[in-house]
Amino acid sequence: MEAKFLQLHFSQLQSEWATAKYNNYSDLRKREYHEKLSKIISLLEAEDISKFSPLEIKQRFYVVFFLFKSLEFLNNSTSSSMPFEIVAVLEEALNDWIPTRDYIIVTSLINNNIGFSYDTSLMLMDFIYKEIEILYGIKFEKRLIQINVPNSTARDYLASVVLYHELGHFIDRKFEISRVLYIEILSAILSGKLSAGEFNDIVKYFPYLANINLVKWFHANYFPGNKFENHIAEYLCDLFGSQYIGEYSNRYVSYLTCDEATDNVTHPSSINRSSFIMDFLTGNKKYLVEKYKQTVLLITKEEIKSRAESFKSEDFENFLPVDIDRPQQLHFLFAYGWKVWLDDWNKMRAYNNLNFDLTQEKVYSIINGLIEKSIGNFIVRTEWAKQASAIS
Amino acid sequence: MLYSHNVENEKINLFTLFLDKAKQGDAKYAQIVNEVILETHLYVVGKKDLYNINRDSINIILLLAQLEKEYFSKLQENTSEYNQEIYNKVFQVITTKQTALV
Amino acid sequence: MNILKNELQELLKSQRLVIKPLLSNDQIGELTIDFRLGYNFLVTIQGKNPFLDASLNSNDQFPTQSLFQETRRMLGETFLLHPHQTILTNSLEYIKFPDNVYAELSMRSSYLRLGISLSALVQPGYTGCMSLELTNLNKVPINLTVGAPIFQARLYKLGESLNYFSKKRKYMCQVRPIVSSVAEDSDLKVLNAIWRQANYIDTKSP
């Protein structure tokens, strides 16, 4: 690695920093994180890059990458259009699995209209944080996670159900669950001890594993991003999401993929994905679902189970937001919203004495607005109660 | 590099970088690589398993265990005994096989 | 007839009047109900368009939406209202009025004295967050706190019930401020047609 290229890289960062250093955050945690970035950049500026050895250049390459990524996340989070309602709900879900105090969620509004995803690159690069601590004595207690939300659907809570699936990817990467399942499933087949039913259940969802030579090849040749591991991860994330929003994410995804009957390198078929989730939701003790549940429990010490607290309500039909009493009920808002969307809209018309037909656009706007307001009201009431009692 | 490779490859690259520093006698880096080497040993001898080895380094640990199981099984659990010879060996194992994960 | 405290509380208890969230019962006064500033705002921005078009005569070249930008604040954060600036926002509370009750909105006197004006009517049966058009008539900026009880509603009872949804409503169940839908006014279509004819413009609808 040449010093001139690192100098170029660092100059690009300095150019970016020239404006980013004036970023304003209302969140104290982001301000503290930003101040640490500022210290690192000052320390880097004091170093003489032209005198670095190739190893030292490589080290600074990762540091500059880290700084760029952090700035990208923080810059996006100064947007004042942040859908904080979505973030609040996802934080609740995340808190079931890892302590929320360890990270800061930021949101980025992007142009890809189905681009719901998490960017976890900073969360998972433990070595980079250690490198920075060694080189500059700066320790980051909290890591940044970026949620990408499409600009066009930032207020589409019905579509946002896919974020629970994406959260599953984050948890998977954090705990490396798919990696373990990869070994376990292949080892189980190669052991020859599976019953016919168990083997058939595996092959139903991973049809290519009917070929024993392929099983042996996968076992001997792991590499990140191979088809089998990708498929394991997708089923895991569907399972993860269904804990919170039932079948609705998969039904929506099935539509987006036109009920795809075949798999590809990255995803199993939509039909198989839906079937897998129904195995879980209907309580069928099928081998593969049970294997997933057992592995998740052993690694994370948390169970795969239904985590949304349901409630009975006709508030949406009455054009009212729901009064949420407990955080676990927040997740059920999405299932409720979907139920109303998929239901007969005449109920809304009747309950509110409408003299006109509701257009789909209007129903879409009403349901999403009421989900948003239900979440927002819960946040407001909770914060108010906490501080009002502390002051009185 | 970081735009075409995935996070796992970058972890291995960073680990290799740390090994290089440890080989040069830097104790701070040695401390970090020692943790990974110890985890590999404990995994190989059955004192740790897939469910409780370090999650961030799991792919490195599994790779090392696969490539040199016998070597890691014979290591001590006392990391203060780890020395340049071990770092050189692990560095050699990793760098030879690094391209397999790309 | 102005509805007084006891009856207001009865309406709330019977859920004929819905206020969500009602953070403090102190908001229910003898004559009025205090409401809070919400966390969504629409501010006008200067862009390529030369004016806010409240007509159809420009053939939708200057859509109203393009001159507004949304911004949000968290509860407890502040919003700076500049001198002579008008912003669209809404109440923190989502309300549903009985179909025989309407309300007149005005600023609470503490805020009126700062120079902020508001005047609005909430119709019987209205459902949603209340839309506010706040103007700073002062010469200095005013820093408002999201969640502060800045305005009040005086409720009145009608002799008969009116169905809010007897006809299609432009603003229904809104939870964020919505840019004016003035272009959807059917009268404007008629007026546009008159203007087009008078000016020998292609008589097909815009």
Side-chain angles (χ1 to χ4, degrees):
Chain A
M1 279 185 135
E2 293 177 45
K4 283 283 184 188
F5 288 96
L6 178 61
Q7 284 171 321
L8 175 67
H9 199 193
F10 188 54
S11 300
Q12 291 165 345
L13 178 72
Q14 285 173 310
S15 174
E16 179 72 21
W17 182 245
T19 36
K21 66 182 173 187
Y22 301 113
N23 281 354
N24 216 343
Y25 312 97
S26 52
D27 187 333
L28 179 65
R29 300 170 304 166
K30 289 177 192 166
R31 257 184 270 152
E32 287 171 352
Y33 194 102
H34 180 98
E35 272 152 38
K36 291 184 186 196
L37 298 183
S38 178
K39 281 189 194 142
I40 298 170
I41 292 172
S42 301
L43 289 167
L44 257 173
E45 278 171 349
E47 292 178 333
D48 187 349
I49 292 175
S50 62
K51 296 203 165 76
F52 281 165
S53 67
L55 186 58
E56 285 171 323
I57 291 172
K58 213 172 184 181
Q59 287 175 295
R60 270 60 177 189
F61 167 81
Y62 284 107
V63 174
V64 175
F65 162 76
F66 169 84
L67 291 165
F68 258 119
K69 203 68 185 166
S70 295
L71 279 181
E72 176 196 325
F73 286 11
L74 288 177
N75 280 345
N76 289 336
S77 82
T78 58
S79 156
S80 47
S81 297
M82 186 182 73
F84 61 80
E85 292 89 347
I86 290 178
V87 174
V89 172
L90 292 171
E91 271 192 332
E92 281 298 328
L94 200 48
N95 202 35
D96 287 343
W97 301 87
I98 54 176
T100 49
R101 63 177 180 273
D102 290 347
Y103 58 84
I104 306 165
I105 291 183
V106 298
T107 49
S108 170
L109 297 174
I110 60 173
N111 286 330
N112 179 349
N113 80 322
I114 50 168
F116 292 99
S117 63
Y118 283 73
D119 190 331
T120 56
S121 38
L122 290 184
M123 184 82 192
L124 301 170
M125 296 282 259
D126 216 37
F127 288 134
I128 288 189
Y129 287 95
K130 286 174 176 161
E131 178 72 279
I132 288 169
E133 200 179 336
I134 292 173
L135 284 175
Y136 304 113
I138 291 170
K139 192 170 176 172
F140 286 83
E141 280 87 17
K142 300 181 195 308
R143 313 247 167 128
L144 288 174
I145 303 171
Q146 175 163 288
I147 303 175
N148 295 316
V149 175
N151 211 354
S152 59
T153 48
R155 296 190 57 208
D156 187 337
Y157 294 84
L158 295 175
S160 296
V161 287
V162 302
L163 281 172
Y164 284 95
H165 169 101
E166 296 302 324
L167 181 59
H169 279 298
F170 168 68
I171 296 297
D172 182 22
R173 296 305 315 281
K174 171 86 183 137
F175 289 104
E176 294 286 353
I177 302 166
S178 291
R179 184 69 179 97
V180 174
L181 280 165
Y182 182 98
I183 294 171
E184 288 191 330
I185 294 171
L186 294 175
S187 301
I189 297 173
L190 291 172
S191 72
K193 291 178 184 168
L194 291 172
S195 68
E198 288 168 346
F199 181 72
N200 287 340
D201 199 45
I202 292 176
V203 169
K204 176 183 174 185
Y205 294 110
F206 304 103
Y208 38 87
L209 295 187
N211 179 343
I212 192 68
N213 289 327
L214 195 55
V215 172
K216 288 177 183 169
W217 188 88
F218 275 132
H219 194 255
N221 296 287
Y222 170 79
F223 58 90
N226 77 47
K227 177 174 175 170
F228 179 44
E229 190 182 39
N230 288 342
H231 288 189
I232 292 172
E234 291 303 324
Y235 285 128
L236 176 67
C237 297
D238 286 340
L239 189 61
F240 185 90
S242 69
Q243 298 177 101
Y244 297 95
I245 38 92
E247 56 173 332
Y248 292 106
S249 176
N250 274 73
R251 285 179 69 176
Y252 183 50
V253 167
S254 290
Y255 169 77
L256 290 175
T257 57
C258 298
D259 291 318
E260 183 57 69
T262 54
D263 62 33
N264 59 36
V265 169
T266 55
H267 291 78
S269 72
S270 303
I271 291 172
N272 271 354
R273 290 172 72 179
S274 294
S275 175
F276 188 74
I277 293 316
M278 291 320 290
D279 280 349
F280 166 63
L281 292 172
T282 52
N284 278 333
K285 299 259 183 227
K286 291 286 182 74
Y287 173 78
L288 202 59
V289 166
E290 293 303 305
K291 185 56 138 176
Y292 271 68
K293 286 164 72 175
Q294 182 190 51
T295 304
V296 168
L297 181 60
L298 284 167
I299 296 173
T300 68
K301 311 287 182 267
E302 290 291 340
E303 279 182 73
I304 292 284
K305 60 183 182 184
S306 181
R307 290 176 180 269
E309 185 184 323
S310 64
F311 51 79
K312 278 194 168 28
S313 176
E314 287 196 310
D315 279 344
F316 285 2
E317 290 92 330
N318 280 297
F319 289 166
L320 292 172
V322 177
D323 286 330
I324 298 294
D325 296 319
R326 286 171 294 285
Q328 297 86 340
Q329 291 177 325
L330 289 170
H331 310 300
F332 192 73
L333 280 169
F334 297 93
Y336 178 37
W338 269 105
K339 179 183 158 294
V340 174
W341 174 259
L342 292 167
D343 215 350
D344 179 0
W345 299 340
N346 283 326
K347 210 188 251 187
M348 277 194 272
R349 196 178 160 192
Y351 283 19
N352 297 284
N353 208 13
L354 266 55
N355 275 359
F356 51 90
D357 287 326
L358 281 168
T359 61
Q360 67 202 23
E361 194 189 337
K362 206 40 129 178
V363 175
Y364 171 81
S365 165
I366 290 170
I367 294 175
N368 281 311
L370 290 175
I371 294 176
E372 178 173 294
K373 195 60 183 151
S374 303
I375 300 169
N377 280 359
F378 175 76
I379 295 169
V380 164
R381 283 187 359 251
T382 308
E383 286 302 307
W384 181 268
K386 198 166 40 168
Q387 298 306 333
S389 64
I391 287 166
S392 61
Chain B
M1 180 173 169
L2 280 157
Y3 305 101
S4 60
H5 293 195
N6 59 40
V7 170
E8 291 309 317
N9 290 337
E10 294 315 318
K11 284 184 191 177
I12 291 182
N13 289 337
L14 277 159
F15 179 67
T16 312
L17 197 154
F18 284 21
L19 272 172
D20 211 340
K21 295 294 277 185
K23 277 189 327 162
Q24 292 173 21
D26 193 320
K28 288 181 182 168
Y29 291 94
Q31 192 178 1
I32 297 168
V33 303
N34 285 352
E35 286 168 12
V36 179
I37 295 170
L38 175 61
E39 286 274 297
T40 309
H41 163 74
L42 293 172
Y43 174 68
V44 158
V45 300
K47 288 189 178 179
K48 278 204 164 189
D49 57 31
L50 285 173
Y51 310 110
N52 58 22
I53 48 175
N54 180 279
R55 306 330 282 176
D56 204 58
S57 313
I58 186 172
N59 278 318
I60 299 171
I61 294 165
L62 291 175
L63 179 66
L64 293 174
Q66 180 194 4
L67 293 171
E68 291 286 346
K69 185 174 178 176
E70 204 185 322
Y71 174 79
F72 284 100
S73 70
K74 290 175 181 161
L75 289 179
Q76 301 297 317
E77 283 184 29
N78 183 357
T79 56
S80 59
E81 308 266 321
Y82 294 176
N83 55 27
Q84 190 159 26
E85 192 189 322
I86 291 174
Y87 304 139
N88 278 332
K89 171 68 177 175
V90 177
F91 185 85
Q92 182 219 340
V93 168
I94 281 270
T95 48
T96 305
K97 201 63 183 173
Q98 203 166 343
T99 50
L101 289 176
V102 167
Chain C
M1 188 172 73
N2 191 183
I3 302 176
L4 303 179
K5 185 171 183 172
N6 281 346
E7 195 174 349
L8 287 172
Q9 286 171 333
E10 250 328 295
L11 284 172
L12 280 167
K13 198 171 162 189
S14 66
Q15 293 181 40
R16 289 198 62 224
L17 171 64
V18 175
I19 301 177
K20 293 189 183 196
L22 184 63
L23 294 179
S24 167
N25 286 325
D26 290 347
Q27 287 174 243
I28 314 294
E30 298 296 337
L31 289 174
T32 56
I33 304 178
D34 290 342
F35 287 99
R36 300 172 186 273
L37 181 62
Y39 38 74
N40 298 302
F41 301 88
L42 278 174
V43 296
T44 39
I45 52 173
Q46 278 178 304
K48 291 189 295 190
N49 293 349
F51 49 77
L52 263 169
D53 200 358
S55 84
L56 298 177
N57 294 359
S58 311
N59 237 11
D60 211 23
Q61 273 182 75
F62 310 119
T64 320
Q65 289 88 329
S66 60
L67 285 165
F68 286 89
Q69 185 172 63
E70 188 182 45
T71 187
R72 311 186 84 197
R73 299 286 186 276
M74 305 293 289
L75 190 71
E77 283 187 335
T78 57
F79 182 90
L80 197 66
L81 193 56
H82 293 278
H84 309 298
Q85 184 184 20
T86 297
I87 55 150
L88 301 178
T89 180
N90 52 16
S91 58
L92 183 71
E93 295 87 352
Y94 186 104
I95 59 147
K96 193 170 189 179
F97 269 25
D99 53 16
N100 64 340
V101 170
Y102 73 95
E104 285 175 353
L105 307 183
S106 58
M107 296 305 290
R108 289 181 61 226
S109 83
S110 307
Y111 290 87
L112 201 54
R113 292 167 205 225
L114 296 177
I116 307 174
S117 88
L118 163 72
S119 177
L121 192 74
V122 181
Q123 296 203 30
Y126 178 81
T127 307
C129 295
M130 286 177 282
S131 195
L132 310 173
E133 296 81 34
L134 299 180
T135 303
N136 177 2
L137 297 173
N138 211 322
K139 283 193 268 191
V140 295
I142 303 172
N143 205 18
L144 297 170
T145 306
V146 170
I150 64 169
F151 72 103
Q152 60 198 3
R154 195 179 298 253
L155 276 65
Y156 297 89
K157 204 191 294 196
L158 291 171
E160 60 182 278
S161 294
L162 300 174
N163 182 5
Y164 183 74
F165 296 115
S166 61
K167 57 177 184 171
K168 252 187 201 176
R169 292 287 178 181
K170 281 186 282 189
Y171 312 112
M172 228 175 106
C173 308
Q174 61 181 84
V175 300
R176 294 199 194 190
I178 295 174
V179 170
S180 168
S181 305
V182 63
E184 289 172 29
D185 278 353
S186 53
D187 283 3
L188 285 183
K189 290 187 179 130
V190 174
L191 291 165
N192 175 252
I194 293 170
W195 172 79
R196 292 174 83 84
Q197 184 158 61
N199 289 276
Y200 302 97
I201 294 167
D202 171 14
T203 51
K204 285 192 205 137
S205 306

